[in-house]
Amino acid sequence: MHIMLRDKRTGAEEWMPLEQVAKLMSLTADEIEWALEEFGEIEIGDYIALEQEW
């Protein structure tokens, strides 16, 4: 699975593997999947996870 990740500092958006996003956001992959399904996005620190692609 890939996640669209936005860097709040630069505004850059990039599709990244779920595992890499989990490390950047200091969350587990399950937490990211759940939050995206529940809320549609996750904002932690300098990053916003916006959507997922299977």
Side-chain angles (χ1 to χ4, degrees):
M1 175 190 312
H2 286 82
I3 306 293
M4 174 62 72
L5 190 69
R6 178 183 299 149
D7 186 327
K8 293 190 314 187
R9 298 166 295 179
T10 64
E13 293 182 348
E14 182 179 351
W15 286 104
M16 300 178 80
L18 176 59
E19 296 77 18
Q20 188 175 357
V21 173
K23 286 181 184 178
L24 287 171
M25 298 184 100
S26 299
L27 295 171
T28 67
D30 288 339
E31 289 171 322
I32 291 173
E33 285 186 72
W34 174 83
L36 286 173
E37 289 175 15
E38 189 72 22
F39 304 110
E41 68 179 42
I42 309 164
E43 184 173 340
I44 301 227
D46 293 329
Y47 301 101
I48 303 173
L50 301 169
E51 59 184 286
Q52 54 189 339
E53 174 180 81
W54 296 92

